[in-house]
Amino acid sequence: MENNQTETIIEKNRVIYKRYFDVDSELLFEVWSKPEHLTEWWGPDGFTLTIIRLDFSIGGIWEFVMHGPDGHDYKNKIQFLDIKKPISITYKHIGDGDGDVDVDFESRIIFEKSGDGTIFTMEQVFSSKQELERVNKKYGAIEGGKQHLGNLGNYLDKIVKTI
Amino acid sequence: MNAFAVLADETRRDIIRLVAKKGELSSTEISQNFQMTPPAVSQHLKLLKEAKILHVKKDAQKRIYSLNQEGMKEMEDWILEIKSLWTKRLDRLDRYVMKLKKENKNGK
């Protein structure tokens, strides 16, 4: 792993990111968990962030709006599933806060001490068990697959506008 | 129906691999490779078709399945967009924590 390079691996329905940060894991954990820090970096360049609410606890909800450079607002809602200070954070996306459950993925972040720095690993798994159960219940009664993929595309447009 | 939810199932991933390897397969040929009833396989194929992961064409009484490049590409593009978002986000995080570290050193 090269210093300050994000390494990504894409496999099946998961994406894994690895990166080395030259700060201790306590600090890294802190900037992931406190609103005054999150607003400083969560939006990629050109974006600003408004935090509607942030309950950094297991089961807690984080709701925020990313303001894009093009003037668009992108609503997001995240639920924390597990928190182990300062080792790991697991959360899932629960859509745009308007009950959109079609885009659903879980992320697990691990902070691993490495010398004076930290090796950061994030694993994103697209579609959660709940999503699958929901789908399985409807098994055979699902229509409009195309429309859903369209929604996926729309959502993508909503969360990412390349600057 | 979300393509990722479709892909999260092991059997459906096996079906995709099989079709990708052979290029084209009828539903009967696909069924023969799995320890499942044809109706169960047929349900999986329906989902794969709806998620635009598999393409189907009718040949007399047969349904012939192949990979749907369009659906695969849509998913790939989506993952790449998220990847790009996170790469940028982590770059910014890196700059931010380095700034904090420097400030701490200066006893701010």
Side-chain angles (χ1 to χ4, degrees), chain A residues 69-149:
Chain A
D70 55 359
H72 272 94
D73 280 355
Y74 311 100
K75 278 168 107 183
N76 270 277
K77 205 171 172 183
I78 275 172
Q79 182 176 34
F80 298 104
L81 302 176
D82 189 44
I83 296 166
K84 288 189 180 71
K85 192 179 176 180
I87 301 158
S88 70
I89 303 168
T90 309
Y91 64 86
K92 75 170 178 179
H93 267 266
I94 41 182
D96 58 8
D98 294 333
D100 172 11
V101 284
D102 279 317
V103 176
D104 191 352
F105 59 92
E106 268 185 33
S107 299
R108 183 158 171 252
I109 299 160
I110 297 160
F111 306 104
E112 194 186 337
K113 278 189 194 300
S114 171
D116 290 335
T118 307
I119 294 171
F120 157 94
T121 308
M122 177 166 76
E123 188 180 68
Q124 289 176 335
V125 182
F126 292 89
S127 94
S128 66
K129 274 187 183 152
Q130 274 111 324
E131 166 90 288
L132 276 177
E133 279 163 18
R134 195 175 63 83
V135 170
N136 286 339
K137 268 184 202 153
K138 287 191 189 175
Y139 213 43
I142 298 160
E143 281 175 21
K146 275 188 181 174
Q147 187 192 324
H148 283 293
L149 258 180

Side-chain angles (χ1 to χ4, degrees), chain A residues 41-66:
Chain A
W41 66 269
W42 185 266
D45 281 344
F47 281 79
T48 55
L49 183 77
T50 303
I51 293 179
I52 299 167
R53 57 178 169 142
L54 170 58
D55 171 9
F56 190 74
S57 65
I58 296 174
I61 301 279
W62 177 25
E63 220 177 321
F64 58 89
V65 183
M66 280 162 66

